[in-house]
Amino acid sequence: MKSLASYYFLLYLGMSVVMPYTSLFFSEKGFSNTVVGLILSLWALISVVSQPIMGMLNDRLSSPRQILLVSAIAAPLIGLSFMYFDRLGAIIVISVFFVWFQSALGPLSDSIAVDIGNREGFSFGSVRLWGALSYAIGAFVTGFLYEKYGYEHIFWYYLAVNAVLMLFIFLLPKAKPVFKKATIREQIKEVSRNKPFLIFVGISMLAFMSVSINFSFLPIYFKELGFDKSLLGSAYAVAAIIEVPMFWVSARLSRKIGHYQVLCMAAAIYSLKYLLLFTFADVYLTLVLQLLDGIAFAFVAGTAVEVVESYSGERTRATLQTVFAAITWGLGGIVGNAAGGIVVDYLGVQSLYLILGIFCATASILYAATRKFALGMKMGT
């Protein structure tokens, strides 16, 4: 567990120094909010394709450490290219290769962590909280660092962290062998016939799409409302630091009241936060509301991975995790980030948060309404 916890600490430390600032990175290159939204939508589109393919490749080859190693090396090296090109065409080409490898790291790591946790008797949340802790530290420090020195060097920081991450990949436990490997065609059939999983994905897309949009456009929210951008890192840090104990709470709450109930609560908390951001425009209130963001994210991230695991078979564990990530974060991000940039340009950034609040309220209702139906279908499979 120690090697896995260290790995998660470095994985999310790397994400914290680059992913929260990509919208500002491209905005400061001179792109409009609409174009920034389209770039981030392209990233989501690429992840929709890459994540399932990398997941199926993992389940087919049973070699997660090798796939993680290639992804951890390739993503930051390719990302450095963003710093040297300003034309949209070049940004698009670089994005294809960068996101292909970067987007696979999270869901593949989650699949490994759940598998190891099931074998060794610890919950996914007890490992994932170390990622939340490092994300809080990284976001807090880089918020002030980038505001002082600029956002143009974020990919160098990403490379530095990933260089250390690669060493810890070699320390991860080996994957449990799959004695009967499924072909790609068989994996696709198993996923398409898994009705409880597909229902869960459909509902989760509303909530996860909203979370993805908020993640991408919170920096724009700060910029458009004239907030001190040096506090942006603090905003992400506030959310991440509360995630640390909340991942622990989420695991125990799920066992006590059930996974779907926890997800229902999380979506309702997100809805409350977004509606308050729509109603009020105050930087310090925004920082306080990030506590709600951290609580909700811990509930969603820890619980959703375990729900997907409960619907997966021996031959489709990584496949279902990557398909789930591709549709909820990926496809949701495609639609959300493209539409989000347009909404901000034409209606204002606060109107975007009204829409996000409605989406999450709808997801909360649907989680509650379909819980018994989805669990009944699961038991019948």
Side-chain angles (χ1 to χ4, degrees):
M1 179 177 172
K2 288 183 179 180
S3 61
L4 192 58
S6 300
Y7 170 80
Y8 262 82
F9 187 92
L10 289 166
L11 174 66
Y12 280 89
L13 182 63
M15 291 185 185
S16 75
V17 303
V18 66
M19 299 311 292
Y21 306 102
T22 52
S23 58
L24 285 177
F25 175 84
F26 291 120
S27 180
E28 294 204 349
K29 276 183 170 288
F31 295 118
S32 69
N33 292 326
T34 298
V35 173
V36 171
L38 290 174
I39 292 172
L40 298 179
S41 293
L42 173 64
W43 286 23
L45 174 61
I46 298 165
S47 71
V48 168
V49 179
S50 69
Q51 287 175 338
I53 290 176
M54 297 293 271
M56 287 187 285
L57 183 64
N58 178 80
D59 284 330
R60 179 65 180 161
L61 302 178
S62 297
S63 57
R65 288 197 300 182
Q66 289 84 342
I67 295 174
L68 287 176
L69 184 62
V70 171
S71 298
I73 295 172
L77 289 177
I78 296 170
L80 290 175
S81 303
F82 285 121
M83 299 168 55
Y84 303 104
F85 294 91
D86 295 321
R87 293 185 178 275
L88 183 59
I91 297 298
I92 290 173
V93 172
I94 297 167
S95 293
V96 173
F97 297 98
F98 171 74
V99 180
W100 184 276
F101 294 104
Q102 192 279 329
S103 66
L105 285 168
L108 286 178
S109 300
D110 292 345
S111 175
I112 293 171
V114 172
D115 181 40
I116 297 172
N118 288 339
R119 282 188 278 152
E120 299 186 7
F122 59 84
S123 68
F124 171 75
S126 64
V127 172
R128 180 60 177 79
L129 64 84
W130 290 99
L133 177 62
S134 67
Y135 199 95
I137 296 171
F140 179 78
V141 173
T142 54
F144 293 101
L145 187 66
Y146 294 159
E147 182 63 17
K148 183 176 182 180
Y149 296 106
Y151 299 91
E152 64 270 17
H153 300 299
I154 60 175
F155 291 98
W156 279 112
Y157 291 96
Y158 185 43
L159 176 62
V161 176
N162 269 34
V164 182
L165 175 68
M166 288 183 286
L167 300 177
F168 280 83
I169 291 176
F170 290 104
L171 301 178
L172 292 177
K174 291 185 178 180
K176 182 180 178 181
V178 177
F179 296 102
K180 185 179 180 181
K181 297 180 180 179
T183 64
I184 300 297
R185 185 177 180 181
E186 289 172 335
Q187 288 173 303
I188 294 173
K189 283 184 177 180
E190 286 192 36
V191 172
S192 64
R193 292 173 181 172
N194 196 331
K195 292 181 180 179
F197 169 72
L198 296 177
I199 291 171
F200 180 67
V201 169
I203 298 171
S204 298
M205 183 175 172
L206 273 176
F208 280 62
M209 177 173 63
S210 301
V211 177
S212 178
I213 295 170
N214 171 67
F215 185 84
S216 298
F217 284 91
L218 186 62
I220 303 300
Y221 184 86
F222 268 67
K223 180 180 178 181
E224 294 292 313
L225 295 180
F227 294 167
D228 182 355
K229 293 197 298 294
S230 68
L231 295 175
L232 181 60
S234 299
Y236 285 113
V238 166
I241 198 65
I242 196 66
E243 289 174 19
V244 177
M246 285 300 110
F247 271 107
W248 181 86
V249 171
S250 174
R252 281 147 185 79
L253 198 58
S254 292
R255 287 196 293 268
K256 186 174 181 179
I257 67 174
H259 290 105
Y260 271 79
Q261 290 91 328
V262 172
L263 291 170
C264 180
M265 290 171 54
I269 293 170
Y270 269 128
S271 179
L272 175 62
K273 177 207 167 179
Y274 297 147
L275 292 176
L276 289 173
L277 287 178
F278 161 70
T279 306
F280 303 100
D282 181 85
V283 65
Y284 296 106
L285 176 62
T286 301
L287 293 177
V288 172
L289 290 178
Q290 285 297 96
L291 292 171
L292 295 181
D293 193 283
I295 294 169
F297 184 81
F299 284 5
V300 162
T303 306
V305 167
E306 293 183 350
V307 172
V308 173
E309 170 69 13
S310 72
Y311 290 140
S312 65
E314 186 66 36
R315 305 187 301 177
T316 58
R317 179 170 287 112
T319 301
L320 259 64
Q321 294 290 352
T322 49
V323 167
F324 178 79
I327 296 176
T328 54
W329 295 112
L331 185 58
I334 294 170
V335 178
N337 287 320
I342 297 172
V343 169
V344 171
D345 277 340
Y346 289 94
L347 299 178
V349 71
Q350 285 178 279
S351 296
L352 177 64
Y353 279 92
L354 172 62
I355 297 170
L356 299 188
I358 294 171
F359 282 173
C360 286
T362 303
S364 181
I365 294 169
L366 290 175
Y367 277 132
T370 62
R371 179 182 64 88
K372 291 183 179 180
F373 174 66
L375 293 178
M377 292 183 67
K378 176 188 171 185
M379 292 174 65
T381 56

